[in-house]
């Protein structure tokens, strides 16, 4: 199928899509709690009724297994919708605030209001969930939404387009398929919010374009997320949980452990346990396993295979160009200056560097951009405190990987180069909401000391504002 024939590259068409959504928004059709609940229910039903279609598309684009699709794409989205429906009424309520002494007679409240038209730009690695999970927040907060899925996963992009076209009026929610040209046109439009998930480099372009119109943005980016294994770690569990995080979607996960920092004393043992975990999860030949994903494109495959030269593949190292698969691989003898340690790997290769002191680890991580995630395996509370207090990162886990992003109770996002803003659960609602401060003044009396006059007393003002 020629997917590009669905791409919109005509500016007037894009302008029309945005202006139609603006009109729909100004017609107040998205704001009532009933309309938001109805839309979320529709979205949930559309996903449930099309489960097989979604699974087939993800198989085709990324060879994702049905279990992986359910846990990391469909199930997580349904859970987000369920959680949002349960709490939405409470989140939407205006919040009364206290009245300051200087404001006697008035009442203050914070009123959540939607921004308007939200533009959601999604990546290819969890192409379904990362397009629709922000949509849950956008709808819950009362916005209209335009979704631009990734062109690198064309089957999923098509399914998202079809599914949302069946469920929604395009003046409310619509999908614009396309690549860079289309996205560039969308970025010129006067939308009210931009929610971007993708790479650091493209994130910079998005922020620059948004800045031209001062459009608020959320940037969910990536980077090199370290995984530290201390000498007192439970190595059996560490190995399994590290491979769970690195093996999922063949390492093409924004919060995958990017590289391992392992204490010298436990390095050899950990390597053996990682080898066991891989064979337990994917059998003796992961390249043939239907539980193991493939690399998204030939370009990414070639980029990853190049990294294998940066160390010694003590576990794995095999690959198949025809199927675009690379074995889960542990690379030893890696230097901090090698290529594999410069950019986000985004594949199943795990470089390993040993350390002797925690200070060494802290200084090295501090030299790099603040990561999206950090994982630490240790039984010691002192070590846990030292790492979490001294290092800045988006979020992370102690004695686990990835799991912090799968709960609606924890906000998810980066810091510095790994992103701006956060979402999931209540934070998704807040992200797509402007909190309007309203003060309602009494007309029953009027305190005259605030007005310029001869009687205005500085002494009195100083008493109030100290
Ligand atoms: P990407 O930045 O290449 O693409 C993301 C989106 O931007 C796509 O829809 C693409 O069409 C569009 N795009 C690409 N180039 C563009 C340009 N020049 N101008 C305008 N739009 C452009 O990212 P990707 O390769 O799809 O995804 C991988 C990256 O995303 C990794 O860095 C990963 O860490 C990150 N990521 C982050 C999260 C998160 O939640 N923080 C989740 C998944 C992926």
């Amino acid at each position: 199928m020629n997917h590009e024939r669905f791409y919109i590259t005509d500016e007037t068409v894009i302008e029309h899509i945005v202006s139609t959504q603006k009109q729909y928004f100004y017609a107040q059709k998205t704001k009532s709690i009933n309309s938001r609940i109805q839309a979320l229910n529709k979205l949930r039903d559309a996903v449930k009724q099309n489960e097989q279609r979604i699974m087939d598309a993800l198989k085709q684009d990324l060879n994702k297994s049905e279990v992986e699709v359910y846990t990391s794409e469909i199930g997580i989205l349904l859970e987000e919708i369920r959680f949002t429906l349960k709490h939405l009424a409470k989140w939407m309520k205006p919040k009364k605030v206290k009245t300051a002494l200087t404001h006697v007679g008035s009442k203050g409240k914070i009123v959540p209001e939607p921004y308007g038209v939200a533009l959601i730009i999604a990546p290819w690695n969890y192409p379904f969930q990362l397009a629709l999970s922000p949509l849950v927040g956008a709808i819950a907060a009362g916005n209209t939404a335009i979704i631009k899925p990734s062109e690198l996963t064309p089957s999923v992009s098509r399914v998202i387009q079809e599914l949302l076209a069946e469920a929604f009026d395009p003046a409310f929610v619509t999908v614009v398929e396309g690549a860079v040209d289309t996205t560039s046109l969308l970025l010129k439009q006067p939308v009210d919010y931009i929610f971007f998930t993708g790479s650091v480099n493209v994130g910079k372009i998005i922020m620059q374009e948004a800045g031209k119109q001062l459009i608020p943005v959320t940037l969910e980016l990536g980077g090199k997320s370290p995984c530290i294994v201390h000498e007192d770690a439970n190595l059996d569990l560490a190995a399994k949980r590290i491979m769970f995080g690195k093996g999922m979607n063949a390492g093409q996960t924004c919060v995958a452990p990017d590289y391992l920092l392992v204490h010298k004393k436990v390095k050899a043992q950990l390597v053996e346990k990682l080898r066991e975990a891989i064979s337990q999860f994917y059998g003796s030949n992961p390249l043939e396993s239907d539980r193991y994903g493939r690399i998204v494109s030939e370009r990414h495959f070639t980029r990853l295979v190049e990294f294998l030269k940066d160390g010694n593949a003590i576990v794995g190292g095999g690959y198949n160009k025809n199927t675009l698969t690379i074995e889960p691989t542990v690379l030893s003898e890696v230097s901090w200056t090698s290529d594999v340690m410069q950019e986000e790997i985004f594949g199943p290769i795990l470089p390993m560097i040993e350390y002797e002191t925690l200070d060494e680890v802290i200084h090295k991580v501090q030299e790099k951009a603040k990561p999206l995630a950090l994982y630490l395996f240790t039984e010691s509370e002192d070590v846990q405190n030292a790492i979490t207090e001294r290092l800045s990162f988006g979020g992370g886990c102690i004695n686990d990987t990835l799991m912090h992003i799968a709960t609606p109770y924890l906000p998810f996002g980066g810091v510095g180069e790994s992103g701006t803003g956060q979402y999931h659960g209540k934070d998704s609602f807040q992200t797509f909401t402007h909190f309007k401060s309203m003060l309602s003044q009494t007309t029953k009396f009027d305190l005259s000391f605030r007005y310029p006059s001869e009687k205005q007393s500085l002494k009195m003002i100083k008493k109030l504002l100290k």
Side-chain angles (χ1 to χ4, degrees):
M1 196 202 306
N2 177 10
H3 294 280
E4 288 184 22
R5 76 192 164 91
F6 298 112
Y7 293 179
I8 301 173
T9 47
D10 181 339
E11 192 163 8
T12 53
V13 177
I14 300 240
E15 277 169 3
H16 178 71
I17 291 171
V18 176
S19 70
T20 311
Q21 289 219 346
K22 289 237 170 196
Q23 284 163 26
Y24 190 90
F25 179 73
Y26 287 131
Q28 304 293 315
K29 293 186 185 171
T30 59
K31 291 186 180 170
S32 72
I33 180 148
N34 284 345
S35 64
R36 301 184 199 194
I37 289 176
Q38 203 185 13
L40 289 171
N41 281 330
K42 256 194 186 172
L43 180 61
R44 184 201 50 214
D45 294 347
V47 172
K48 282 192 163 176
Q49 284 156 13
N50 289 285
E51 230 171 76
Q52 198 54 50
R53 241 163 115 191
I54 301 162
M55 288 196 172
D56 292 346
L58 281 154
K59 185 82 192 164
Q60 200 165 346
D61 286 341
L62 289 160
N63 194 36
K64 286 200 187 191
S65 74
E66 294 200 346
V67 173
E68 198 174 304
V69 168
Y70 202 85
T71 49
S72 67
E73 302 258 14
I74 296 176
I76 199 168
L77 179 72
L78 293 175
E79 176 58 17
E80 184 79 9
I81 297 173
R82 190 196 62 77
F83 187 85
T84 305
L85 282 167
K86 188 170 166 205
H87 298 281
L88 184 59
K90 192 173 61 208
W91 297 340
M92 279 177 69
K93 271 207 184 110
K95 196 172 145 234
K96 286 187 188 142
V97 295
K98 287 185 182 169
T99 303
L101 197 57
T102 42
H103 291 61
V104 168
S106 72
K107 284 180 188 154
K109 64 179 175 184
I110 301 167
V111 184
E113 67 166 19
Y115 280 101
V117 178
L119 170 62
I120 296 166
I121 303 171
W124 54 262
N125 61 336
Y126 291 86
F128 185 74
Q129 190 253 115
L130 292 175
L132 296 199
S133 194
L135 177 64
V136 175
I139 292 175
N143 300 272
T144 69
I146 298 168
I147 299 174
K148 210 298 284 171
S150 172
E151 71 282 15
L152 291 189
T153 38
S155 313
V156 178
S157 173
R158 195 88 283 264
V159 166
I160 294 175
Q161 200 284 328
E162 289 169 359
L163 204 127
L164 295 184
E166 285 158 23
F168 297 115
D169 181 341
F172 172 42
V173 173
T174 195
V175 174
V176 174
E177 292 190 86
V180 178
D181 293 353
T182 307
T183 320
S184 304
L185 289 177
L186 283 166
L187 290 170
K188 283 195 195 160
Q189 300 304 311
V191 297
D192 302 288
Y193 201 89
I194 299 176
F195 188 103
F196 171 80
T197 308
S199 61
V200 171
N201 284 341
V202 179
K204 289 177 185 169
I205 297 173
I206 304 290
M207 199 160 187
Q208 211 169 11
E209 290 304 305
K212 289 181 185 161
Q213 301 186 74
L214 293 177
I215 298 170
V217 287
T218 293
L219 300 175
E220 291 283 340
L221 310 178
K224 291 189 84 62
S225 299
C227 177
I228 304 161
V229 182
H230 202 52
E231 58 182 313
D232 63 344
N234 177 329
L235 294 180
D236 286 315
L237 287 181
K240 278 207 262 184
R241 293 174 184 175
I242 291 167
M243 271 331 298
F244 162 80
K246 192 69 172 180
M248 185 175 290
N249 199 21
Q252 301 166 110
T253 304
C254 56
V255 283
D258 186 274
Y259 61 98
L260 263 185
L261 296 173
V262 55
H263 194 280
K264 197 175 176 178
K265 279 192 193 155
V266 292
K267 180 182 148 189
Q269 267 174 291
L270 181 70
V271 168
E272 278 325 299
K273 291 187 190 291
L274 285 168
R275 194 192 308 279
E276 282 165 29
I278 293 166
S279 100
Q280 195 185 331
F281 296 171
Y282 306 114
S284 54
N285 186 0
L287 297 184
E288 305 272 293
S289 169
D290 58 10
R291 292 190 296 275
Y292 188 60
R294 73 165 171 85
I295 306 305
V296 68
S297 66
E298 203 172 314
R299 184 173 73 84
H300 279 286
F301 176 86
T302 311
R303 180 182 66 83
L304 288 165
V305 167
E306 277 295 300
F307 285 150
L308 295 174
K309 295 182 189 145
D310 289 343
N312 174 24
I314 40 172
V315 178
Y319 51 87
N320 181 339
K321 196 173 176 185
N322 296 325
T323 54
L324 298 185
T325 44
I326 300 174
E327 282 178 348
T329 298
V330 181
L331 277 189
S332 73
E333 288 149 59
V334 174
S335 99
W336 281 100
T337 54
S338 59
D339 287 346
V340 74
M341 289 306 294
Q342 306 315 306
E343 61 177 270
E344 180 181 8
I345 297 169
F346 224 55
I349 298 167
L350 194 56
M352 186 173 62
I353 295 180
E354 61 180 48
Y355 69 87
E356 284 182 60
T357 69
L358 220 50
D359 272 347
E360 227 179 297
V361 167
I362 288 168
H363 291 140
K364 277 297 183 190
V365 176
Q366 279 170 340
E367 278 172 18
K368 295 189 160 284
K370 292 177 181 177
L372 182 59
L374 183 141
Y375 305 112
L376 170 65
F377 289 85
T378 179
E379 294 297 306
S380 153
E381 237 175 81
D382 288 346
V383 175
Q384 295 173 8
N385 292 340
I387 294 290
T388 42
E389 279 165 24
R390 291 174 64 189
L391 291 176
S392 177
F393 48 93
C397 304
I398 287 164
N399 293 321
D400 210 339
T401 68
L402 311 194
M403 296 305 283
H404 65 297
I405 74 157
T407 157
Y409 295 101
L410 285 176
F412 170 60
V415 53
E417 215 179 88
S418 56
T420 293
Q422 44 199 17
Y423 75 130
H424 288 180
K426 189 178 181 183
D427 285 82
S428 290
F429 174 82
Q430 291 180 336
T431 286
F432 287 98
T433 296
H434 164 62
F435 289 90
K436 190 151 87 186
S437 291
M438 288 303 305
L439 182 130
S440 197
Q441 186 61 279
T442 183
T443 50
K444 297 216 167 76
F445 58 88
D446 193 28
L447 298 177
S448 59
F449 68 83
R450 73 190 221 185
Y451 301 116
S453 76
E454 278 169 20
K455 279 194 245 156
Q456 197 176 34
S457 142
L458 181 61
K459 210 166 135 197
M460 168 83 164
I461 291 174
K462 276 191 167 173
K463 246 188 195 168
L464 286 166
L465 298 172
K466 42 191 174 208

